[in-house]
Amino acid sequence: MSNIISFDGNATHGDGSLAMPNGGTDVFINILALSGSAIAQTESEKRLTVYLSEKDQRTGRGCVGFDIVEMPWDKETFEEDKKFMLQAINGARNKTGWEKLDYSPDEELISYYLDTFENLIKRMAADDIREYSLNHWLSLSERDDPIHCGFPRCKKHNTFLTCFGCQICNSQLSDY
């Protein structure tokens, strides 16, 4: 099974979409969670990091793909948030937090994933935002969801917790 991150849901071969196997997706999300959690300052940056971390293979193997335009972007903070996402990608590329992993990611493969994801993020413009996405995502969360409780962090990995717990703790429990 594979997961697809596309720009707008119309993924076709050669359109720049990112297709990854379950294990690759897990590693990709882990390193973005580590990097994003290390640098996120604003609420919108923290929300974007949690959103990515919720693409947890333990809860949705083969069905955790998403569209860039449906991420929880906010038009008011879009330019800053886009810069943040590019910084998080660069941090992952520079191995921010990788020492907290219990494995060594395949750098060549991860480089391809990050480059492709970066190109998708760079394509994004404020006019592409699906305005209902942020409110819809927030409305699905329970009152005690970490995004409503001050963005708590995992004590072991220092990443933001999601409604599923810690992305990295969960991936260490998985058997690929």
Side-chain angles (χ1 to χ4, degrees):
M1 204 88 203
S2 69
N3 301 288
I4 298 174
I5 300 173
S6 65
F7 185 74
D8 64 3
N10 298 317
T12 60
H13 183 68
D15 73 345
S17 293
L18 176 58
M20 300 174 282
N22 292 335
T25 304
D26 203 44
V27 173
F28 175 74
I29 297 300
N30 282 347
I31 65 173
L32 284 175
L34 287 165
S35 178
S37 294
I39 63 171
Q41 298 292 315
T42 68
E43 185 171 326
S44 60
E45 293 169 352
K46 293 173 184 178
R47 278 194 315 252
L48 286 165
T49 304
V50 169
Y51 175 84
L52 291 174
S53 298
E54 284 182 353
K55 304 308 175 193
D56 192 318
Q57 289 299 292
R58 186 166 182 227
T59 59
R61 289 186 180 172
C63 59
V64 296
F66 61 93
D67 301 330
I68 299 298
V69 298
E70 292 190 346
M71 290 174 62
W73 301 105
D74 185 332
K75 282 195 177 196
E76 291 182 29
T77 59
F78 174 73
E79 291 303 325
E80 294 83 12
D81 293 341
K82 183 176 177 178
K83 287 178 190 171
F84 162 76
M85 285 303 308
L86 294 172
Q87 290 171 337
I89 292 165
N90 194 47
R93 195 176 276 123
N94 290 325
K95 303 180 185 180
T96 299
W98 285 25
E99 70 279 357
K100 296 174 184 171
L101 299 171
D102 62 354
Y103 61 89
S104 298
D106 179 331
E107 292 181 44
E108 187 175 329
L109 192 56
I110 287 301
S111 180
Y112 168 75
Y113 293 163
L114 292 171
D115 290 348
T116 305
F117 187 64
E118 180 179 48
N119 289 334
L120 290 168
I121 295 294
K122 284 180 176 178
R123 281 177 57 188
M124 186 69 188
D127 289 341
D128 295 319
I129 293 173
R130 303 249 170 98
E131 295 192 48
Y132 62 85
S133 295
L134 173 59
N135 290 331
H136 178 70
W137 180 66
L138 291 173
S139 73
L140 294 176
S141 61
E142 303 290 327
R143 270 182 87 176
D144 61 347
D145 189 297
I147 61 173
H148 298 300
C149 298
F151 298 97
R153 293 175 179 263
C154 172
K155 289 177 177 38
K156 182 176 181 182
H157 300 107
N158 202 35
T159 55
F160 295 115
L161 296 176
T162 74
C163 58
F164 307 120
C166 172
Q167 158 64 20
I168 298 169
C169 289
N170 289 344
S171 73
Q172 291 174 345
L173 299 173
S174 295
D175 55 345
Y176 294 108

